[in-house]
Amino acid sequence: MTDRIFECDVAIVGAGPVGATLAALLGQAGIRVFVGEANDEVYPLPRAAHFDHEIMRVFQQLDIVEPVLRATTPADHYVFQNQHGQALLTFDLRCPADTGWTGYMMHQPGVELAIRARLAANPLVELMTGLSYAGFEETGDRIVTSWNAKTGEVIVRSRYLVGCDGAWSPVREGLGITLDDLIFDEPWLVLDLIVDDDNRLPRHNIQYCDPGRPTTYVVMGDNRRRFEFMLLPGETAEEMLRPETIDRLLSPWDRHGLREVERKAVYRFHALIAQQWRRGRIFIAGDAAHQMPPFAGQGMCSGIRDAAALSWRLALALGGADEERLFKSYQLEREPHVRMITRAAIETGRVVCTLDREMAAARDAQMLADRAAGVPMPDISSPNLAVAFGLPATPHAGERFIQPVVGREDAAPQWMDDLLGRGAWLIGEGPDIAVDPGLPDLRLFDVDSSALAQFAPALRAWLGNAGARAVLVRGDRYVFGTGTPAELVAAYAEQAGLRARLEVATA
């Protein structure tokens, strides 16, 4: 029998970090959301280990920075070293980005609990656990999804459906969407360890590029450490998971303060990208849309970027924007971005995973020579976006917009995003910046206003560098474009299929 029926704007399958973040962003925008999740509780063991400055900015928007920080430790250095202990590459991850944040190593359950708490505080978001997604059918302008619960069937009627349901996504499979294989398939043993404060393990992340056994060591939040050991030809998962094998693999490290092995599993590191990320009013995001090796630490980050990219698009569509053009740009932007990151992760992984000793020696010699010659380190950070919803020909389009942070040492810092709030921003100078264009989710800010006084120097410098009077920043904090306020409003309205007020369009 049907136990309950829900009506909402957006239904989400899966309440992992991607689905929960999307639900939180939509709820914050005043959108009614239903989230169905199979597990009754947040999965208690860590999976992802890192997120970057851009993702912390999303968490800042959701006002969960404080609880997230309790489950993290700031990222320090990321070192690639050979079997002789020589550093081949050293990345300093401590410097704050233009977003005001840096990167973090995390204990994923703690981060997920912080997001879930934000969902629980919003009456527009219905999170229901213990549900098994059964399928969907489209009826007119509604998508009707059915779910199996212990007490009966649950029916959800929504305008949009998003599958954030993992690598084996039932939503993706139900749509018949296939995956592109980027040809990376390596089995690794992953060990998560709980450690005491006085442990003597390394304090920074290390890739041991040893042809005898490629190994990864990661410092995680909440007194955790992760070891990843590549399986060698002929080794089996069963063999690697034996206690005596694990003890032998950990023996080279000083294990003072190592309390226990919390999780052990053998994974195959894949590189897969869905050929379609949307069909009509149904979308996929996160692992359902892409999977990548962990060497760049961008797997969960990419999924949360999907959530940020979808949230403002769905809000605009529910505000009357043209669905086709708006939603077409989702995959046009996100897929190339993910492909670039995945290729970087694959190339990094191939450096690490070299088993041939002669090839490894040649690799070491070249990388050590490059280091001695001052050759710049490869860029493993998230690239800029090739905007499909925006003005790509204008300066800085597709870049992440800055977040100035000001404050005295004896006072709490002031963050610009907290002042400007959610939605899209039009920031500029001149009389027409004060004319309300009447567009949903677009807020206007005059650099000369007293409200922006503390951030005005940084904003004026940014606009001066762009040679523009104004910048339009999308809800995901990527730059739509630069120019005059009237030009930007007109372009934003035209691309969204909305009508701006005439006086702005002709100002």
Side-chain angles (χ1 to χ4, degrees), residues 43 60 116 294 478:
Y43 186 71
Q60 178 192 353
R116 290 275 188 101
Y478 284 95

Side-chain angles (χ1 to χ4, degrees), residues 237-396:
E238 293 75 17
E239 175 188 355
M240 297 298 288
L241 291 168
R242 292 172 184 159
E244 59 270 25
T245 303
I246 292 172
D247 189 64
R248 173 173 55 81
L249 291 171
L250 292 174
S251 62
W253 284 269
D254 186 334
R255 287 182 283 176
H256 172 83
L258 196 164
R259 195 185 313 164
E260 65 175 286
V261 176
E262 183 179 32
R263 182 180 70 129
K264 57 181 181 179
V266 171
Y267 290 102
R268 301 196 75 90
F269 293 165
H270 293 296
L272 304 168
I273 298 178
Q275 293 183 352
Q276 288 181 277
W277 295 28
R278 166 201 166 226
R279 190 163 293 170
R281 288 175 286 115
I282 304 173
F283 307 82
I284 56 174
D287 284 353
H290 45 78
Q291 299 148 53
M292 65 185 69
F295 302 106
Q298 286 290 318
M300 189 190 82
C301 296
S302 295
I304 291 181
R305 288 189 194 97
D306 297 343
L310 272 177
S311 64
W312 66 263
R313 285 177 167 89
L314 290 166
L316 268 183
L318 289 163
D322 178 79
E323 290 185 346
E324 186 56 35
R325 182 163 186 176
L326 190 63
F327 294 151
K328 186 178 180 180
S329 67
Y330 168 57
Q331 183 174 354
L332 286 175
E333 291 183 349
R334 292 296 307 131
E335 182 184 351
H337 195 265
V338 164
R339 284 186 182 272
M340 284 189 284
I341 292 172
T342 304
R343 289 192 189 101
I346 289 172
E347 291 307 312
T348 304
R350 285 176 177 154
V351 169
V352 175
C353 295
T354 300
L355 297 178
D356 184 285
R357 292 188 179 275
E358 289 187 4
M359 292 178 62
R363 172 204 65 196
D364 294 354
Q366 182 62 58
M367 295 179 75
L368 289 169
D370 289 346
R371 186 178 178 93
V375 174
M377 295 289 170
D379 187 356
I380 60 171
S381 62
S382 169
N384 292 330
L385 196 69
V387 291
F389 186 90
L391 298 175
T394 62
H396 299 291

Side-chain angles (χ1 to χ4, degrees), residues 452-482:
L452 283 183
Q454 56 190 336
F455 305 114
L459 293 172
R460 287 197 185 97
W462 193 96
L463 289 170
N465 180 265
R469 281 179 46 209
V471 56
L472 200 154
V473 182
R474 306 184 329 185
D476 54 8
R477 301 301 163 247
Y478 284 95
V479 174
F480 173 90
T482 51

